[in-house]
Amino acid sequence: MSEDRRLDVLRAIVEDYVATREPVGSRALVERHALGVSPATIRNDMAALEESGYIAQPHTSAGRVPTDKGYRLFVDRLTTVKPMSVPERRAIGAFLEEAQDLDDVVDRAVRLIAQLTQQVAVVQYPSLRRSALRHVELVPVGVRHLLVVLITDTGRVEQRTLELGADLDEVVVGQLRARLNVSAAGRRLSELPVALAELADAFGPADAPLVEAVVGVVEETLAQESEERVVLAGTAHLARGGAVDFAGSIGPVLEALEEQVVLLRLLSEMAEDNASVAVRIGRETQHEGLLETSFITSGYGDENGTSVARVGSIGPLRMDYPGTMSAVRAVARYLTRILAG
């Protein structure tokens, strides 16, 4: 009973601190929350929570604030992520469904998360290395130039132009296009080498340079690690909390956000969590510039239900965790639905 009651006290402290930005005292807990115990019992519970490292006392106040450990327990004990309202869900769906292409989808998603959470939004582009080919198009654009268009199952489009050493035979180009789509469509990068290697056997020696060039550009395009990137929005929201949210300068946080390799590492690590919504709090980010922030992400997927990238929100430790988790998860689900469609 005492453990459950102390969890209720911790939950109340987190909620009040998020709402007021002020350290929370026992008197405020008594006045604002029906905890069903005496003020003396609440003070004892707060002392126990402080001794266990879940709350701490700032030097300038008699109240208490949650620690990284306290926020972690609060998040871990959330029984459910509160659903968004029907009007909110409709608005999200309508806004994202108006997108014209993948770039527009990503742009709308990142702006939407920033608006919903009033924090920094992060959207990772679907990685070509995790995507599967949906279609390959070969378009002659000259006597010796061939446009290779790759369309992935996440709606991503990549184009490359090949300059060949001999005139193109449009009949052979058509045959190669057909066989490419039979062999490669629906396969992921790891599955392509064998499928593409067998392709050359279907053509004569005279066509080998064309087949090898096209196969080479397909493999090269899908293997490019430089395609891993993220898009940010809402960095101005971080400045609103000022000294309340960040003990030092906000500069280190902004610098960390500019390092895509840092965000990509975190997104990759969080993708391994067996949860629909992953949360990293303070020191769990393992980056000096993000020690006073929390990062909430959720994966979005392809038509097979496989997660190919992540969306997320970064804000101060003092954030609305249930609300942020709900918004991030909702946008991720709509992204999956749109890309799968």
Side-chain angles (χ1 to χ4, degrees):
M1 288 294 293
S2 61
E3 182 180 345
D4 291 341
R5 189 182 65 243
R6 286 170 186 170
L7 183 59
D8 289 339
V9 172
L10 175 63
R11 184 182 298 112
I13 292 172
V14 170
E15 291 173 353
D16 279 9
Y17 184 57
V18 167
T20 67
R21 298 186 179 182
E22 298 290 339
V24 182
S26 58
R27 180 180 299 178
L29 292 178
V30 171
E31 294 173 351
R32 296 172 187 159
H33 301 273
L35 295 172
V37 293
S38 68
T41 299
I42 291 178
R43 286 193 292 272
N44 289 336
D45 288 339
M46 291 178 71
L49 289 169
E50 185 171 9
E51 184 177 352
S52 299
Y54 294 113
I55 59 176
Q57 180 179 20
H59 296 300
T60 57
S61 172
R64 303 295 189 273
V65 299
T67 62
D68 289 15
K69 184 178 179 181
Y71 283 122
R72 169 48 64 189
L73 181 60
F74 172 79
V75 169
D76 288 346
R77 293 300 181 91
L78 286 175
T79 54
T80 58
V81 176
K82 65 179 182 182
M84 306 202 79
S85 67
V86 172
E88 286 174 327
R89 294 200 302 271
R90 286 176 179 166
I92 291 173
F95 184 66
L96 292 178
E97 287 167 5
E98 291 175 356
Q100 301 300 311
D101 53 30
L102 180 62
D103 288 335
D104 195 14
V105 169
V106 170
D107 178 67
R108 287 171 178 263
V110 76
R111 288 189 286 124
L112 186 58
I113 293 174
Q115 180 181 352
L116 290 170
T117 65
Q118 293 296 293
Q119 296 168 167
V120 178
V122 179
V123 176
Q124 181 184 21
Y125 264 84
S127 169
L128 286 178
R129 295 185 297 127
R130 287 191 295 272
S131 301
L133 278 178
R134 177 179 289 170
H135 184 72
V136 181
E137 187 60 54
L138 304 179
V139 184
V141 290
V143 178
R144 296 191 175 187
H145 288 84
L146 184 68
L147 177 65
V148 182
V149 183
L150 308 179
I151 304 172
T152 73
D153 58 353
T154 57
R156 189 164 184 164
V157 179
E158 295 291 327
Q159 301 183 50
R160 301 289 186 273
T161 301
L162 283 174
E163 183 175 358
L164 302 163
D167 292 355
L168 287 168
D169 182 331
E170 293 201 14
V171 174
V172 175
V173 170
Q175 293 172 345
L176 179 55
R177 180 193 303 116
R179 289 186 177 275
L180 257 177
N181 283 294
V182 170
S183 300
R187 296 181 184 270
R188 297 193 178 276
L189 178 63
S190 59
E191 303 169 327
L192 282 176
V194 174
L196 294 177
E198 296 172 351
L199 195 64
D201 297 336
F203 292 86
D207 302 321
L210 171 64
V211 176
E212 290 173 2
V214 171
V215 168
V217 79
V218 170
E219 291 182 330
E220 179 184 341
T221 302
L222 291 174
Q224 284 181 342
E225 292 190 11
S226 60
E227 297 296 340
E228 295 275 6
R229 62 192 178 103
V230 296
V231 179
L232 300 181
T235 51
H237 292 315
L238 288 179
R240 294 181 179 175
V244 175
D245 289 331
F246 303 102
S249 167
I250 196 176
V253 180
L254 297 177
E255 290 173 6
L257 294 178
E258 289 178 357
E259 297 180 38
Q260 293 229 342
V261 65
V262 171
L263 296 179
L264 287 169
R265 173 186 62 80
L266 274 168
L267 289 166
S268 177
E269 291 174 356
M270 296 171 80
E272 298 175 3
D273 289 8
N274 294 320
S276 62
V277 182
V279 183
R280 292 287 186 275
I281 298 171
R283 296 188 180 278
E284 294 173 356
T285 62
Q286 298 183 8
H287 191 281
E288 193 70 27
L290 299 176
L291 295 182
E292 295 180 275
T293 68
S294 288
F295 194 8
I296 294 175
T297 70
S298 185
Y300 68 94
D302 58 18
E303 57 193 6
N304 300 315
T306 303
S307 179
V308 295
R310 299 188 77 78
V311 300
S313 180
I314 298 175
L317 294 170
R318 184 202 58 80
M319 71 158 61
D320 173 11
Y321 287 92
T324 301
M325 293 166 73
S326 176
V328 167
R329 186 181 65 175
V331 173
R333 287 180 172 178
Y334 275 99
L335 278 177
T336 296
R337 185 181 304 174
I338 289 169
L339 294 179

